[in-house]
């Protein structure tokens, strides 16, 4: 692999990698180069493809994918989502100072403790100065704004980005993460490492002409259902999806969206990937006629703050990745026998 990964790698897939089903392994956290190299070795040596969500939304974030999908004739989901903070939150434009040049959010901060006090302190600094700040104070306030995802909500007043605003930027339905037992911090945490559906949808768009009558998908660590929502927004019918997700709250969110979006296919939810034994997979393949797409969001994203440069994936989380590779190889082996 090149030490400087290309945004659009050449697609010289081996004959083994190109065999069905299609698969995509994605990660939206800032993991090390060595971790990508390690994952690539387990996935037929396919070079990762990196995309900046900035090209698809108001989120400035690098997303990485290892997949065997075609790369020709990809297209954007239309209509496009808000491409800037101002588009997503037009009410902030009135209060935005000229020295704050941010156009996109660079992170999703999910802690709520102490945010109100920090915003009050920064607001007092601004009010006391009448909005006329030294360049050093401007840089200091901007550092807080970028790190804590703060936006301008009034004269000399900062506030955090709300879950509803993040849902819009990430391409999810309004109040998608609102669960009866979920608070704001939990909603933000669930959004922090989910797929940006327009970015993911761009990569999945090649499937629409291949499966004009719909597809069957195995979704490993579905999270908030980003892959399902991306396919729905692409007008690709989901005939059936087998979803593996450990979080009960996220399973409820996906099940609620499945009903409310009018899906006519079958949703099967499994809470533990280890329940996908060879016998279980054979039964699912027999029931649905196989899987057209296997998609996976790396669960180590939830612990990415513990990743250190050059260390790679934590052993426990890498074992989960290996479980997903096991499932993919079992499915491919069953295809070959058929």
């Amino acid at each position: 692999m090149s030490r400087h990964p290309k945004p659009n790698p050449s697609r010289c897939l081996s004959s083994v990698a190109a065999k069905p089903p299609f698969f995509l392994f994605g990660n939206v956290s800032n993991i090390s180069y060595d971790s990508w190299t390690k994952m690539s070795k387990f996935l037929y040596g396919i070079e990762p493809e990196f995309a900046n969500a900035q090209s698809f939304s108001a989120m400035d974030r690098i997303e990485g994918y290892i997949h065997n999908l075609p790369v020709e004739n990809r297209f954007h989901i239309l209509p496009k989502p808000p491409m800037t903070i101002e588009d997503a939150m037009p009410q902030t434009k009135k209060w935005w100072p000229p020295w704050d040049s941010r156009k996109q959010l660079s992170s999703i901060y999910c802690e709520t403790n102490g945010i109100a006090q920090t915003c009050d302190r920064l607001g007092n600094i601004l009010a006391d100065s009448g909005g006329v700040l030294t360049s050093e104070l401007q840089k200091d306030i901007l550092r807080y704004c970028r790190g804590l995802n703060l936006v301008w909500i009034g004269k000399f007043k900062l506030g955090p980005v709300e879950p509803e605003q993040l849902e819009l930027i990430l391409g999810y339905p309004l109040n998608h993460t609102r669960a009866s037992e979920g608070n704001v911090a939990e909603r933000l945490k669930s959004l922090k490492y989910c797929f940006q559906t327009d970015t993911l949808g761009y990569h999945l768009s090649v499937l629409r002409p291949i499966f004009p009558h719909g597809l069957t998908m195995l979704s490993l660590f579905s999270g908030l259902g980003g892959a399902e929502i991306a396919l729905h927004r692409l007008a690709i019918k989901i005939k059936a999806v087998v979803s593996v997700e450990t979080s009960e709250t996220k399973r409820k969110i996906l099940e609620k969206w499945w009903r409310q979006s009018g899906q006519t296919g079958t949703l099967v939810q499994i809470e533990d990937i280890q329940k996908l034994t060879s016998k279980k997979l054979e039964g699912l393949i027999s029931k649905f006629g196989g899987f057209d797409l296997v998609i996976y969001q790396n669960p180590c994203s939830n612990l990415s703050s513990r990743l250190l440069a050059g260390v790679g994936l934590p052993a426990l989380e890498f074992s989960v990745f290996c479980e997903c590779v096991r499932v993919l190889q079992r499915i491919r082996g069953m295809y070959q026998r058929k």
Side-chain angles (χ1 to χ4, degrees):
M1 290 173 59
S2 166
R3 194 69 193 179
H4 302 285
K6 300 180 288 293
N8 292 297
S10 58
R11 303 299 289 172
C12 298
L13 297 180
S14 68
S15 58
V16 175
K19 289 179 179 179
F22 289 114
F23 64 84
L24 182 145
F25 280 43
N27 190 291
V28 301
S29 62
N30 185 25
I31 64 173
S32 70
Y33 168 86
D34 290 340
S35 294
W36 280 111
T37 304
K38 193 172 184 179
M39 287 193 293
S40 174
K41 289 178 179 177
F42 277 76
L43 293 170
Y44 314 104
I46 298 174
E47 188 171 350
E49 180 177 6
F50 298 91
N52 194 330
Q54 183 181 35
S55 301
F56 304 89
S57 69
M59 177 62 65
D60 182 2
R61 179 182 71 181
I62 299 297
E63 302 192 359
Y65 305 101
I66 301 176
H67 64 87
N68 67 345
L69 296 166
V71 296
E72 298 81 13
N73 303 316
R74 297 192 283 201
F75 56 88
H76 290 253
I77 295 175
L78 297 176
K80 288 187 176 181
M83 298 298 289
T84 65
I85 298 173
E86 181 181 314
D87 292 338
M89 293 169 269
Q91 71 278 12
T92 67
K93 180 180 179 181
K94 179 180 178 181
W95 312 111
W96 211 272
W99 46 266
D100 186 347
S101 60
R102 290 177 296 152
K103 299 297 181 185
Q104 287 86 23
L105 298 176
S106 56
S107 64
I108 297 177
Y109 188 76
C110 56
E111 296 296 332
T112 55
N113 292 336
I115 289 290
Q117 293 85 340
T118 299
C119 289
D120 288 342
R121 181 173 63 82
L122 296 176
N124 291 334
I125 294 172
L126 287 159
D128 292 343
S129 67
V132 181
L133 302 175
T134 65
S135 60
E136 287 302 315
L137 268 177
Q138 290 177 6
K139 290 178 182 177
D140 191 44
I141 291 175
L142 277 175
R143 182 170 58 84
Y144 279 100
C145 289
R146 290 193 176 98
L148 304 180
N149 255 20
L150 304 180
V151 294
W152 301 92
I153 59 174
K155 186 176 182 180
F156 308 146
K157 190 174 181 181
L158 286 160
V161 177
E162 300 295 332
E164 292 80 7
Q165 296 164 335
L166 284 172
E167 288 167 346
L168 175 65
I169 290 172
L170 293 167
Y172 291 82
L174 181 64
N175 290 321
H176 181 68
T177 56
R178 187 183 292 279
S180 57
E181 66 275 17
N183 57 33
V184 171
E186 289 170 345
R187 293 178 68 189
L188 292 171
K189 191 176 295 184
S190 68
L191 287 162
K192 185 174 178 65
Y193 294 112
C194 67
F195 283 125
Q196 202 291 321
T197 60
D198 297 86
T199 313
L200 176 62
Y202 179 74
H203 293 78
L204 296 179
S205 63
V206 296
L207 297 174
R208 195 163 78 180
I210 299 174
F211 300 104
H213 303 296
L215 56 75
T216 301
M217 175 172 67
L218 173 60
S219 179
L220 302 174
F221 299 98
S222 301
L224 299 177
E228 291 81 352
I229 290 171
L231 291 172
H232 179 66
R233 294 183 64 204
L234 286 164
I236 299 175
K237 181 181 178 181
I238 308 174
K239 295 190 290 186
V241 58
V242 176
S243 167
V244 179
E245 174 53 53
T246 57
S247 166
E248 182 181 1
T249 299
K250 291 178 181 177
R251 291 198 302 272
K252 288 180 179 179
I253 288 172
L254 176 58
E255 194 273 333
K256 181 186 73 171
W257 172 84
W258 189 264
R259 285 185 287 103
Q260 292 182 347
S261 61
Q263 300 297 317
T264 58
T266 303
L267 171 65
V268 177
Q269 292 186 297
I270 298 172
E271 67 275 10
D272 187 352
I273 191 171
Q274 292 188 348
K275 291 186 177 180
L276 284 180
T277 60
S278 294
K279 184 177 180 179
K280 180 70 171 179
L281 286 169
E282 286 175 355
L284 290 168
I285 288 174
S286 175
K287 180 178 180 179
F288 297 119
F291 295 108
D292 303 306
L293 172 65
V294 178
I295 194 162
Y296 159 74
Q297 181 172 328
N298 198 342
C300 85
S301 300
N302 299 325
L303 303 175
S304 68
S305 61
R306 284 160 43 183
L307 297 178
L308 303 175
V311 172
L313 303 179
L316 175 63
E317 299 303 328
F318 192 73
S319 70
V320 177
F321 169 79
C322 289
E323 277 289 285
C324 295
V325 174
R326 171 189 67 81
V327 169
L328 176 62
Q329 291 180 344
R330 288 285 188 278
I331 292 171
R332 289 164 72 86
M334 292 172 188
Y335 266 75
Q336 300 310 310
R337 289 199 298 273
K338 287 176 66 178

